[in-house]
Amino acid sequence: MENMETRGIKEVARHAGVSLGTVSNVLNRPHVVAENTRQRVLEAIRELGYVRNDSARQLRAGRSRTIAIVVLDVSNPFFTDVIRGAEEAIEAAGAVAVVCNSGQSVSRERRHLELLEEQRVQGILITPVDGGRDSQLINLIKHGVPVVLVDRGIGQSGRCSVAVDDVLGGRLAGQHFRELGHERVAFVGGPLAIPQVNDRQRGFESVLSDIQVLTFLTAELTVAAGRQAGATIADLPAAERPTAVFCANDLLALGLLQEMTQREISVPGDVAILGYDDIDFAAAAAVPLSSVRQPREQLGRAAAELLLEETRFPETHAHRNLVFHPELVARKSTMRPTSPRR
Ligand code: RIB
């Protein structure tokens, strides 16, 4: 019984005056076909409008060449940089990357995961909405779909993960403010139920035990939440206002910077602001933003390489939890101009 795919290839072969094997080689091993023959077959494919039926090949091969990248929030440049790093490794391996945005919604994440399993994707890189504890994701792993956790759900056994040492990142922020001589500082971030936010706050406070640390919790890690926190801080009497603020990510810090600037509160003169991630907009801000840099593209690349290893060498692959180190990038938003030497 001929299927649509076989009939299509036969018509291409007849039209191009070559064998079925030559058409198959043009599609799967073009390097073994003479260039003029290859062009003749490609011309026949164009003229006949032949489209390869990948689902048939997927069924024979067991899985597609597609690797899914499921992120929390595509509007946050942190994730687009992670995606860029992952795509580089995925495409270098001859696979294809597809991106899904959960928008921090568990139900949307579940719908994406359901569809990706139906499509028999080769594997999934995911920053899970609830830290990798959702039953849909756990069942997908039980069904044998390779999964690598990115940035969240870290340290859970039975799967690979990549992350950054956020406690160290918080410590770098606290040490920076201590070196600058600040004695009344603040942490802006939330929700603390997010382990990465909690770790950043803990690391920050761990090096400032002898200094007053105010905490302003936000519902989200967004520019709008940063502006709201900025308004609260700006409304404090000047004597109670912190002279330095560490934000759990750059979007919060950029919102805070925007609010201070609009209220003509000098940054860093009246209040120093430090972010986290070091997205490209940090350096480009009106007052270049100091930030604790996460190696975003490296995270994405490493996650993809772990997944590719697991799919290619399942017998020898060992699950690993990779942890990268952040680094402090000091810019104008925390660095008071050095007083001119007299
Ligand atoms: O939820 C988004 C944040 O979490 C990013 O800004 C990055 O800091 C990640 O850890």
Side-chain angles (χ1 to χ4, degrees):
M1 168 70 174
E2 276 191 347
N3 63 27
M4 289 293 287
E5 168 112 350
T6 311
R7 197 160 53 246
I9 289 178
K10 272 187 174 173
E11 286 162 342
V12 170
R14 190 178 308 114
H15 194 79
V18 300
S19 70
L20 278 177
T22 300
V23 175
S24 175
N25 281 336
V26 167
L27 294 173
N28 299 300
R29 300 189 305 152
H31 57 284
V32 304
V33 183
E35 183 56 23
N36 61 342
T37 306
R38 194 173 75 86
Q39 287 306 329
R40 208 161 75 240
V41 172
L42 292 176
E43 183 58 27
I45 286 173
R46 276 191 293 273
E47 286 171 5
L48 294 173
Y50 167 75
V51 177
R52 182 181 199 169
N53 177 350
D54 216 25
S55 57
R57 193 191 60 77
Q58 285 176 26
L59 283 176
R60 284 196 300 277
R63 287 212 174 277
S64 77
R65 291 176 300 132
T66 305
I67 291 177
I69 309 169
V70 184
V71 297
L72 279 178
D73 177 7
V74 285
S75 69
N76 182 339
F78 168 84
F79 291 108
T80 47
D81 292 341
V82 168
I83 290 166
R84 189 180 304 123
E87 275 184 329
E88 268 178 26
I90 290 166
E91 289 166 5
V96 175
V98 290
V99 177
C100 301
N101 176 40
S102 65
Q104 320 226 34
S105 154
V106 173
S107 57
R108 275 183 66 179
E109 180 184 282
R110 284 177 179 163
R111 282 200 301 275
H112 286 315
L113 292 178
E114 201 172 313
L115 177 70
L116 292 171
E117 188 167 16
E118 286 167 10
Q119 293 297 315
R120 305 184 65 74
V121 294
Q122 197 175 134
I124 298 173
L125 311 180
I126 183 168
T127 303
V129 174
D130 76 339
R133 290 179 295 275
D134 183 64
S135 56
Q136 178 92 26
L137 180 60
I138 291 170
N139 290 335
L140 195 109
I141 292 169
K142 282 180 184 167
H143 297 163
V145 178
V147 169
V148 176
L149 298 171
V150 178
D151 183 56
R152 306 259 170 109
I154 304 315
Q156 301 189 24
S157 61
R159 60 194 75 168
C160 288
S161 67
V162 297
V164 165
D165 182 342
D166 288 304
V167 174
L168 171 60
R171 293 176 62 82
L172 292 174
Q175 285 158 357
H176 184 52
F177 285 173
R178 175 180 287 285
E179 287 159 9
L180 291 168
H182 291 287
E183 294 180 354
R184 190 173 60 255
V185 304
F187 173 80
V188 168
L192 290 181
I194 299 177
Q196 284 72 14
V197 175
N198 195 294
D199 286 350
R200 292 167 200 176
Q201 183 190 29
R202 277 192 304 115
F204 180 61
E205 293 180 348
S206 69
V207 296
L208 296 170
S209 52
D210 57 333
I211 292 175
Q212 185 188 4
V213 179
L214 305 172
T215 300
F216 299 87
L217 295 183
T218 63
E220 298 176 310
L221 296 166
T222 60
V223 170
R227 288 202 55 174
Q228 286 169 357
T232 305
I233 290 170
D235 289 343
L236 290 171
E240 295 173 27
R241 195 184 297 156
T243 60
V245 181
F246 169 44
C247 297
N249 79 345
D250 285 344
L251 297 184
L252 284 170
L254 291 170
L256 198 76
L257 176 60
Q258 191 182 22
E259 189 66 24
M260 294 303 163
T261 306
Q262 283 193 341
R263 291 169 175 248
E264 297 182 351
I265 294 173
S266 162
V267 176
D270 297 327
V271 61
I273 298 176
L274 175 63
Y276 201 101
D277 293 344
D278 197 28
I279 59 177
D280 293 346
F281 293 123
V287 179
L289 182 70
S290 298
S291 186
V292 177
R293 186 176 192 285
Q294 292 208 70
R296 305 172 305 285
E297 295 195 21
Q298 192 180 2
L299 277 173
R301 198 173 304 114
E305 286 166 356
L306 282 170
L307 188 84
L308 289 161
E309 180 194 278
E310 182 176 352
T311 56
R312 282 174 173 166
F313 310 107
E315 303 78 21
T316 56
H317 170 78
H319 289 318
R320 301 191 290 286
N321 302 125
L322 304 184
V323 179
F324 293 88
H325 284 183
E327 58 177 333
L328 182 84
V329 180
R331 298 192 180 97
K332 185 174 179 185
S333 72
T334 59
M335 302 300 282
R336 290 198 188 99
T338 50
S339 52
R341 293 185 187 290
R342 288 183 177 71

